[in-house]
Amino acid sequence: MALIVPVFIALVAIYILSFYKQIQNYFRLNHYGSKLPGPPLKPIMGNANMLKDKTSDEMGFVFLEEARKARKRGDSIMRFVLPGKLIVWPLNGKAVAQVLDSTTEIHKGSDYEMFKPWIGGLLLLVGDTWKFHRKLITPTFHFAKLEGYFNVFNSESKILTELLEKFADSGETVDIFPYINRCLLDIICEAGMGTKVNVQSNHHHPYLKAVKGYVELMMKRSTRFWLWNPFLFWALGYKKQQMDYLKTLKKFTADVIAERKQARELEGQTGESVSKRNMNFLDLMLSTTESNGLTEDELRNEVDTFMFGGHDTTTTSCGWMVWSLAHHQDIQQKVYEEIVSNCGDDTNEEITYEQANKLHYLELVMKESKRVFPPVAAVQRHLQEPMVIDGHKIPAGTNIAIAPLVLHSNPEVFKNPEVFDPNRFLPEECAKRHAYDYIPFSAGVKNCIGQKFSVLNEKVLISHIVRNFKIEPMLELDGTRPCLEVVSRPSKGIPVKLTRRL
Ligand code: HEM
């Protein structure tokens, strides 16, 4: 009994101390934040109330609306202050270039903290380790290698269309999003890791459930400031959820690595060897680990990074592309005609590398779809040094939101941004704008390493779907909305009706 009071006091002290850094940051960043243009600040809470009770599909609208007001005032940046956090959003390509062109301001924002125990690879690395890993991995995405992935792109896309046939035959609505998701996980495992996992035939795969759960949890934590506190995060039961997801995520990649190691041992015994130039991503990582160039931890981190980065982003892109085609029948018909004229109408035929490179109209539509529905709505940088953006002094410690979501809907650059118009990406139109006004794959030194791989993968997958089926939407255009999460998952999936073409 006598111990209760001191224990209670100690707990309260620990609790207050755990907020100390937040309190210190709060005063410093609030001071700077109040001098920058942005929505009115409330005492203590800053702009936190604006995000309160917002679901992740409502959150994007808050930022878009504030960006609209800021542009109307003639501002090129806007700021949000959350308790202990200052977030600055550059609103056009010129303003965002300040950050993206820097070779030193490449540290990720504080929202990425939760990524660290899961994917500690290239995406989060900085400094010499990042340079070494980036140089090591780049050859696996060399254009000469990309053609080699076409077998996998085609075989897995064909499995996808076969699975979808039953919906075309029954006329039943299908949410095509999880089908695409499973297909792309199979593709990254087979093309990148040399391992077949057949997720397309397992609709309840624990890895995919854990990915969804983990990114939802990340978003919850980044927008509810009280969860930034480790003690409250633990006490409210979220830490346990995080650890459970992590266990599943790590087990899946550990199994893929183990299987590939075993296969390599067998290949070694039979004298088979592959030159470094022809190795897939995982083989290259394994051979570098064997020669002590990478530690086992670094290897696992990169595999986790590529497993996630390689499938969830492209899934979101393909999902929104299907939605865009479903809602624009004239554009879908033009895409279909281009595919048939370049690749023929035999649905069993593969789409070759040469053919994919000739699908120019499809590429315009894919770009416009990524403008309207950026698969990665925003990424963050955490400023190490103060920076001046368009005359505004931004302090070190600020999170910079590099947000395709707000850049791609800038009416000063994209006239009538709500109109879906692939011709915006004709070369003469692109020449009229700043290169960073359109950045679905980010830009600068930390841009997406998998961009070319992803574009070709999407071309093949979409070509197979469109060559097989006419796609119609089963909801209004905004009946399913992009969630502001790590990727822009559609809030109600991608519900469509498919009709066989031939
Ligand atoms: C439509 C598909 C994709 C989109 C929209 C996309 C978008 C992005 C963006 C915006 C970044 C920068 C992130 C940041 O600065 O915080 C990034 C980085 C990265 N992406 Fe992608 N990505 C896609 C596909 C892929 C694929 C297929 C792979 C791998 C096979 C991949 C692997 C990576 C990696 C490893 C990085 C970190 C690069 C570095 O920091 O050096 N991505 N991606």
Side-chain angles (χ1 to χ4, degrees):
M1 188 69 185
L3 275 179
I4 288 180
V5 174
V7 167
F8 179 75
I9 293 172
L11 281 177
V12 171
I14 290 171
Y15 180 71
I16 291 172
L17 276 177
S18 67
F19 273 116
Y20 176 71
K21 218 173 150 201
Q22 270 175 253
I23 294 167
Q24 203 188 23
N25 250 338
Y26 170 82
F27 285 109
R28 192 177 69 85
L29 295 176
N30 219 16
H31 167 73
Y32 282 105
S34 63
K35 295 177 188 230
L36 296 171
L41 293 169
K42 293 255 166 28
I44 302 177
M45 301 304 280
N47 300 118
N49 281 345
M50 297 174 72
L51 304 178
K52 202 174 99 202
D53 302 331
K54 293 279 182 291
T55 54
S56 61
D57 63 320
E58 291 165 341
M59 205 92 72
F61 291 108
V62 176
F63 296 116
L64 282 174
E65 178 54 16
E66 289 309 317
R68 191 190 61 76
K69 289 185 199 159
R71 287 190 183 110
K72 212 169 156 201
R73 291 193 300 264
D75 292 331
S76 57
I77 63 159
M78 66 174 179
R79 65 91 187 94
F80 269 70
V81 177
L82 303 180
K85 212 189 255 187
L86 171 60
I87 309 165
V88 167
W89 300 62
L91 298 177
N92 58 43
K94 190 169 153 257
V96 88
Q98 287 287 110
V99 187
L100 288 177
D101 281 342
S102 165
T103 50
T104 49
E105 291 294 357
I106 59 174
H107 294 72
K108 292 283 143 71
S110 47
D111 288 348
Y112 285 69
E113 277 303 305
M114 239 183 101
F115 252 148
K116 281 187 183 160
W118 174 18
I119 52 170
L122 209 51
L123 184 76
L124 302 185
L125 292 175
V126 291
D128 288 344
T129 320
W130 167 71
K131 273 191 200 146
F132 172 65
H133 285 215
R134 178 103 189 183
K135 204 167 155 210
L136 177 73
I137 294 165
T138 296
T140 53
F141 294 104
H142 191 273
F143 74 91
K145 271 209 65 107
L146 295 172
E147 192 175 354
Y149 298 127
F150 267 62
N151 273 345
V152 180
F153 294 166
N154 275 289
S155 59
E156 293 298 341
S157 301
K158 278 198 213 165
I159 295 177
L160 170 68
T161 52
E162 278 161 26
L163 288 167
L164 294 173
E165 278 171 3
K166 68 171 187 254
F167 297 102
D169 294 342
S170 68
E172 200 188 322
T173 298
V174 54
D175 174 5
I176 202 168
F177 193 76
Y179 284 84
I180 292 176
N181 196 13
R182 290 187 286 266
C183 176
L184 286 165
L185 183 56
D186 273 345
I187 288 178
I188 194 67
C189 287
E190 201 175 338
M193 319 288 168
T195 307
K196 247 180 127 32
V197 289
N198 300 320
V199 175
Q200 292 211 69
S201 54
N202 180 356
H203 288 201
H204 303 286
H205 201 285
Y207 177 80
L208 292 171
K209 277 191 179 169
V211 169
K212 187 166 176 284
Y214 200 96
V215 295
E216 278 173 8
L217 196 57
M218 268 181 82
M219 195 59 205
K220 197 175 262 178
R221 191 170 197 192
S222 87
T223 53
R224 290 163 174 72
F225 65 90
W226 56 95
L227 295 182
W228 302 346
N229 181 269
F231 174 74
L232 286 185
F233 190 68
W234 168 81
L236 292 171
Y238 291 116
K239 185 78 191 168
K240 158 102 178 55
Q241 267 182 37
Q242 182 193 6
M243 297 319 283
D244 288 348
Y245 290 138
L246 265 180
K247 210 166 135 194
T248 309
L249 295 167
K250 292 283 179 188
K251 181 178 180 318
F252 179 69
T253 41
D255 288 350
V256 168
I257 297 172
E259 193 170 319
R260 189 63 204 138
K261 270 186 178 170
Q262 210 177 12
R264 276 166 61 85
E265 266 170 38
L266 284 175
E267 283 162 15
Q269 283 162 19
T270 55
E272 281 181 48
S273 74
V274 186
S275 75
K276 266 203 164 162
R277 198 175 158 69
N278 288 324
M279 282 179 184
N280 67 36
F281 164 79
L282 179 54
D283 283 351
L284 188 75
M285 295 287 106
L286 284 169
S287 78
T288 315
T289 311
E290 283 153 12
S291 58
N292 294 325
L294 285 180
T295 64
E296 282 285 337
D297 263 359
E298 287 174 325
L299 162 78
R300 277 193 293 272
N301 285 341
E302 289 303 353
V303 174
D304 280 314
T305 303
F306 274 77
M307 193 73 87
F308 171 67
H311 89 279
D312 223 29
T313 46
T314 315
T315 297
T316 313
S317 184
C318 290
W320 287 116
M321 175 68 182
V322 168
W323 197 236
S324 302
L325 291 171
H327 274 278
H328 301 93
Q329 291 294 320
D330 50 334
I331 292 175
Q332 187 184 150
Q333 181 61 23
K334 251 180 109 172
V335 165
Y336 173 66
E337 283 163 16
E338 185 188 57
I339 294 166
V340 169
S341 91
N342 281 286
C343 319
D345 62 4
D346 183 347
T347 52
N348 289 315
E349 283 293 315
E350 298 215 331
I351 312 287
T352 66
Y353 179 69
E354 289 72 27
Q355 288 166 344
N357 281 322
K358 286 187 193 149
L359 299 173
H360 301 300
Y361 185 66
L362 173 63
E363 196 157 333
L364 296 185
V365 182
M366 280 165 50
K367 285 183 176 165
E368 177 65 347
S369 180
K370 285 190 192 68
R371 183 189 70 79
V372 179
F373 302 110
V376 177
V379 298
Q380 277 189 6
R381 296 283 182 276
H382 192 244
L383 283 191
Q384 306 299 297
E385 299 290 336
M387 181 180 269
V388 177
I389 302 183
D390 220 10
H392 298 286
K393 283 186 193 155
I394 320 283
T398 301
N399 285 298
I400 305 287
I402 299 166
L405 177 79
V406 298
L407 297 170
H408 294 182
S409 59
N410 182 358
E412 290 156 20
V413 177
F414 300 103
K415 204 171 159 225
N416 301 324
E418 65 291 345
V419 174
F420 192 91
D421 178 8
N423 290 338
R424 297 179 198 273
F425 290 93
L426 290 170
E428 59 274 23
E429 292 300 317
C430 295
K432 291 181 194 161
R433 47 186 188 249
H434 192 288
Y436 296 165
D437 280 322
Y438 176 75
I439 48 164
F441 294 97
S442 190
V445 291
K446 289 284 273 179
N447 71 349
C448 176
I449 199 171
Q451 173 170 351
K452 290 200 187 92
F453 175 95
S454 163
V455 168
L456 289 170
N457 187 359
E458 181 167 337
K459 274 188 167 180
V460 173
L461 187 143
I462 294 293
S463 296
H464 277 287
I465 295 180
V466 172
R467 192 163 64 174
N468 274 274
F469 310 109
K470 182 170 183 267
I471 315 159
E472 287 166 277
M474 297 309 281
L475 279 178
E476 296 295 304
L477 184 63
D478 63 356
T480 183
R481 300 191 304 199
C483 294
L484 193 59
E485 292 173 1
V486 179
V487 294
S488 313
R489 177 178 62 82
S491 61
K492 300 274 185 311
I494 300 292
V496 290
K497 180 170 179 278
L498 302 173
T499 314
R500 280 184 198 256
R501 293 232 179 230
L502 297 171

